Structures are given as C-alpha cells and as structure tokens.
Amino acid sequence: MADWFGFLLEGLWTTLLLVVLSTVLTFALAVPLAVWRISPRRSVRALSGTFVEIFRSIPLPVLLAALYFGFGPKLKGLGLDAFELVVIAIVLNESAYIAEVFKGLLRSVPIGQWQAAASLGMRRWQALRLVILPRLRRPALPHAVNGFIYIVKGSALASIITVPELTLHANQLMIETFRPLEVYALVGVIYLAINIPVSYLGRLAEGGRARRGSRRAAAEPVAPVVGG
Amino acid sequence: MDLYIRLITEALPVTVGVSAVAWLLGTVLGTGLGLAGLSRRRWLRETQFFVSTLLRSLPELLAIYLLFYGITAHGVELTPFTATVLALGVTQAGFWAEAVRGGVQVVGVRQFEAAYSLGLTTGQTYRKVIFPQLVSALTSPGLNMFVALTKLTAIAAAVGLPELLHTGRSVMDRTYDVLPVVVALAVTYLMLTIPLTFLVKAAESRWHRRTTRQSMPLFS
C-alpha cells in the first residue's frame, strides 16, 4: 500500500504541474478572447469567433490525438514533447470554452456602465480594466471553478499519449497488481481531493449565501452544463 | 475513401448512440438529484451539493476505467458500451443536477410564494407553475449537455468501444495516413456539434426575450 502511494504521488506531481500550467495559460488566453469576442471591430470578432467555434467543437481526446499522432513528428522538430502538447491541447480547448462563458458575462453588463465610463473620458481598455472586469469578478467565480475542474479532468487524458501523470501511473499499477477496483478507487479519491476543496472554496468565496439565502434557495448561481 | 465511409456508417452511430443513452441517463438521474437540492431540509441540500460535486469532480476517463476494469474484475459483466454510458451518464448527472437547481432558482422563490398564496399544493405548484418555466429555462443547458456528451464519447476509445476516435485511430495505425483521418474526425465532430450549437443559440435568444419581457417590471 505504501508502495502504491509513492508511485501514485510521482504521477500526481506531473498531474498538478499539468493542471497549474494549463490553468494559468487558459485564463490568460480566455479573458482577452472574451474581450475580442465583443470587440467593436467586425474582423476581430469574426477571428476570435472562428477560433472559439473550432476548438470548442473538437473533443479534447481528438485534439490530443491530432496533435500527438498527427502533427507530433513535425512539432517534435520544434522541441515540443508530449507534456507540452497536452498543455497546448487543454489550453486551446478550455480557453475557447471559458471565453464563450466570459463573453456572456461581459454582455450581461448594462450598456450604461460602458457609457458612463466613456463619458468620464476613459478609453475602452480603461473602462474594461477599471469598471467592467472588477464587477464581473464574483459572477465569474463559479464558472472559473468549473473551468478548473474541467482542466483537472482533462489532464487525465494525458495518459492516452503516455504522459506519466496520475492516470497513467494508475494504469501501470493496475497491470502490476491486477487489482483494478482498489487502484482506480484510490486514484478517484485523489482526484476528488483536488477538486472538492476547490469547489467548496469557490462557493465560500462567493460569500455568505447560506447565511443570507432564503428558505428554498441556498446555493451558487446557475452553472451551465457544458463540457470541456 | 472507404475508410471514411466506415467512419460514418459504423463509428458515427456508436458515438450518437452513446451520447443519446448517456444523456437520457444523466437527465433522469440529475433531475432527481437537483430537485433533492431544493428540499427544505438542510442536510438533504448539503448532501445533494456534495454528491453533485463528487460526480462532477471525477474524471470521466477514470470513471470508465473504474467501471470497465474495476467492477468487471469482481464478477459483474459490463460491455464497453454499458460502462461508457454508465460512466458518462452518472458524471453528467452531477452537472445536470446543478443546472436544474439553478434553473428552479432562476424561476424564483416569488413564484413559489405566489403559487402557495393562491392555495396550490406543492405538486400543483411544480406541475402548473414551475415546470413549464423550467422547460424553457433548461432547453439550452440540456442541449449543451448533449454537445458535451457527444464530445466526451471520444474517451470511450480507451476501453475499445469502436466509436469515432477509436475507429479513426485503428485506421491511422493501419495506413499511417494520419492527417486526412484527423481532419475527417474533426469535421465529423464539427458537423455533429455545430447544428446543436445553433439550436442552443436559438433557444437562448428565444428564452432570453421571453424572460426579460416577463420579469422586467419586477426590477423596476
């Protein structure tokens, strides 16, 4: 059992590295993408829209297989290995999806806020930075938590292209021990140990709903049911 | 060319079939779970949130492994199809439960109060007031779930279910002709999901128009 843990922890390390890197890059790309999606320029809107529609529609496993088996040999010439390809695939897929959610949030800001900012002499990016984005921090939180969970779950797919992360280590352990139920249940618990605290922290950070909430309604706002 | 015909005639029905059955399972389970989250009892609400979080947090690939290798090793026979459908249906039920719960809340506490003040019973309230609004509120997340499931079926390739990705990869392995297969796969998924995305958009704009018209006076 102790051996199991040591072996799985090695995989967990790679998983965490994958998740942190992908999360940072995903959000760094998703926010500008969302802003481009509501750009006053038609060309910018069309370009970002095409990007979003394409990468939102291709399943992550297919994108991974395409990058690794399809373009892998060419990309290896650029010094990219399987680990980096997974990060690229997750970032392309997730940022497109999260950008679309954030675009919806940006659109939900009443036009008056933009006009007020403009009447104070702000430029567009100033209005965004100082007025619009700060007020979206709270409504964006549950969506950001959802995005994070998708990234964690997506990282399990890295095992398909033999990145030695948690699920791949689980598979190897399963082959060695022939105890699939125990191994996979244990790994499931490890994934839950990553995701559940984040999910609850997200609810906590949204602030005192349980206290303030009415008799019937006591929880986070609508989380859309969309896959990563 | 016959490779693409195989992709369309053999693998596509599997992909669509898995997503349809998993969607049905996820909708039924998730609706029950979501309604449990609206209970007056605090412990039931907390349990619902915990179970939803549990289901949402489990990687689908791991859920499939757990069912296909884990349970099967202990004497229960599961085909790759059943394992995939179960794994996807159950994990998506967690998302759907939250959508249902959120949807009922969007419909609003006031509606419940109004219905009670008119003397409707809980059953009547749900049947006559809440569900009709819920159906329009949940149309677009429901379609979104179908899109998500369609994409998620690709991970069934890992347990040898001959869906699109698995078939595509077996073709690649035989012919070493990678790029056309990848493009064909991508185009097939795009053709599957893009009509659905348009449906979602249409449903959203219709629903948005109706609710804004209805609820505007409340906020003025």
Side-chain angles (χ1 to χ4, degrees), chain B residues 52-76:
Chain B
S52 293
T53 309
L54 207 79
L55 296 180
R56 284 196 295 177
S57 305
L58 196 67
E60 287 83 3
L61 182 64
L62 196 69
I64 289 180
Y65 283 153
L66 201 54
L67 285 168
F68 188 68
Y69 297 115
I71 308 280
T72 312
H74 290 258
V76 185

Side-chain angles (χ1 to χ4, degrees), chain A residues 37 53-62 65-66 69-71 74 93 100 146 149-150 152-153 156-157 159-160 167 171 174 180-182 184-185 187-188 191-192 195-196 199-200 203 210 214-220 222-228, chain B residues 38-40 42 45-46 49-50 53-62 65-66 69-71 73-74 92 95-96 98-99 101-103 105-106 109 112 116 126 141 144-145 148 151 154-155 165 169 172 178-179 182 185-186 189-190 193-194 197 201:
Chain A
R37 291 284 278 131
E53 285 305 331
I54 288 177
F55 287 109
R56 221 164 54 124
S57 299
I58 300 176
L60 185 53
V62 175
F69 301 108
F71 303 99
K74 282 175 202 135
N93 201 240
E100 202 60 10
N146 266 351
I149 291 177
Y150 278 123
V152 173
K153 301 203 310 183
L157 296 174
S159 58
I160 303 177
T167 304
N171 284 344
M174 194 274 278
L181 189 62
E182 289 87 341
Y184 287 128
V187 172
Y191 275 110
L192 296 180
N195 281 333
I196 290 180
S199 174
Y200 272 85
R203 192 164 75 145
S214 63
R215 187 167 54 94
R216 268 178 189 281
E220 70 191 46
V222 199
V225 198
V226 201
Chain B
L38 293 159
S39 163
R40 266 167 245 191
R42 194 192 151 89
R45 290 205 308 263
E46 289 298 323
F49 185 72
F50 183 73
T53 309
L54 207 79
L55 296 180
R56 284 196 295 177
S57 305
L58 196 67
E60 287 83 3
L61 182 64
L62 196 69
Y65 283 153
L66 201 54
Y69 297 115
I71 308 280
H74 290 258
Q92 284 305 98
F95 286 98
W96 185 245
E98 290 303 288
R101 202 170 54 90
Q105 282 172 26
V106 166
V109 184
F112 281 99
Y116 285 138
Y126 272 104
N144 268 332
M145 182 161 94
K151 289 171 33 170
I155 62 181
L165 180 60
R169 277 196 55 189
M172 276 185 221
V178 177
L179 200 56
V182 166
L185 277 179
Y189 279 105
L190 276 168
T193 53
I194 280 182
T197 343
K201 267 185 190 148

Side-chain angles (χ1 to χ4, degrees), chain A residues 55 58-78 80-93 160-161, chain B residues 165 169 172 178-179 181-183 185-186:
Chain A
F55 287 109
I58 300 176
L60 185 53
V62 175
L63 196 56
L64 261 181
L67 283 178
Y68 187 72
F69 301 108
F71 303 99
K74 282 175 202 135
L75 291 170
K76 261 184 205 124
L78 298 170
L80 294 171
D81 60 11
F83 180 90
E84 283 144 4
L85 287 181
V86 173
V87 174
I88 291 172
I90 293 179
V91 169
L92 288 176
N93 201 240
I160 303 177
I161 61 169
Chain B
L165 180 60
R169 277 196 55 189
M172 276 185 221
V178 177
L179 200 56
V181 180
V182 166
V183 172
L185 277 179

Side-chain angles (χ1 to χ4, degrees), chain B:
Chain B
M1 199 58 210
D2 57 321
L3 299 176
Y4 302 129
I5 292 169
R6 202 184 133 201
L7 215 58
I8 301 284
T9 54
E10 287 173 26
L12 191 62
V14 179
T15 290
V16 175
V18 170
S19 15
V21 181
W23 179 79
L24 203 65
L25 186 68
T27 308
V28 171
L29 286 179
T31 306
L33 193 60
L35 293 180
L38 293 159
S39 163
R40 266 167 245 191
R41 294 174 187 80
R42 194 192 151 89
W43 66 267
L44 199 55
R45 290 205 308 263
E46 289 298 323
T47 312
Q48 182 271 334
F49 185 72
F50 183 73
V51 172
S52 293
T53 309
L54 207 79
L55 296 180
R56 284 196 295 177
S57 305
L58 196 67
E60 287 83 3
L61 182 64
L62 196 69
I64 289 180
Y65 283 153
L66 201 54
L67 285 168
F68 188 68
Y69 297 115
I71 308 280
T72 312
H74 290 258
V76 185
E77 285 296 317
L78 286 180
T79 61
F81 182 86
T82 327
T84 308
V85 162
L86 278 178
L88 293 184
V90 166
T91 46
Q92 284 305 98
F95 286 98
W96 185 245
E98 290 303 288
V100 168
R101 202 170 54 90
V104 173
Q105 282 172 26
V106 166
V107 169
V109 184
R110 282 182 208 148
Q111 303 264 348
F112 281 99
E113 286 164 357
Y116 285 138
S117 71
L118 290 172
L120 299 186
T121 64
T122 309
Q124 283 173 326
T125 308
Y126 272 104
R127 215 168 49 243
K128 302 203 158 155
V129 182
I130 306 300
F131 279 143
Q133 299 185 66
L134 205 55
V135 168
S136 61
L138 288 179
T139 307
S140 66
L143 287 171
N144 268 332
M145 182 161 94
F146 198 80
V147 175
L149 278 169
T150 306
K151 289 171 33 170
L152 278 169
T153 52
I155 62 181
V159 291
L161 186 71
E163 44 66 72
L164 282 169
L165 180 60
H166 189 267
T167 309
R169 277 196 55 189
S170 73
V171 170
M172 276 185 221
D173 289 345
R174 222 158 0 93
T175 59
Y176 295 102
D177 207 5
V178 177
L179 200 56
V181 180
V182 166
V183 172
L185 277 179
V187 169
T188 314
Y189 279 105
L190 276 168
M191 285 190 319
L192 268 176
T193 53
I194 280 182
L196 286 168
T197 343
F198 277 112
L199 265 179
V200 172
K201 267 185 190 148
E204 258 168 9
S205 63
R206 211 179 128 202
W207 173 58
H208 187 68
R209 231 187 4 244
R210 204 187 300 158
T211 48
T212 43
R213 212 194 301 141
Q214 280 177 350
S215 60
M216 264 321 180
L218 281 179
F219 297 107
S220 62

Side-chain angles (χ1 to χ4, degrees), chain A residues 172-190:
Chain A
Q172 288 169 356
L173 202 59
M174 194 274 278
I175 292 163
E176 281 168 32
T177 61
F178 290 111
R179 308 194 65 163
L181 189 62
E182 289 87 341
V183 171
Y184 287 128
L186 182 63
V187 172
V189 170
I190 296 177

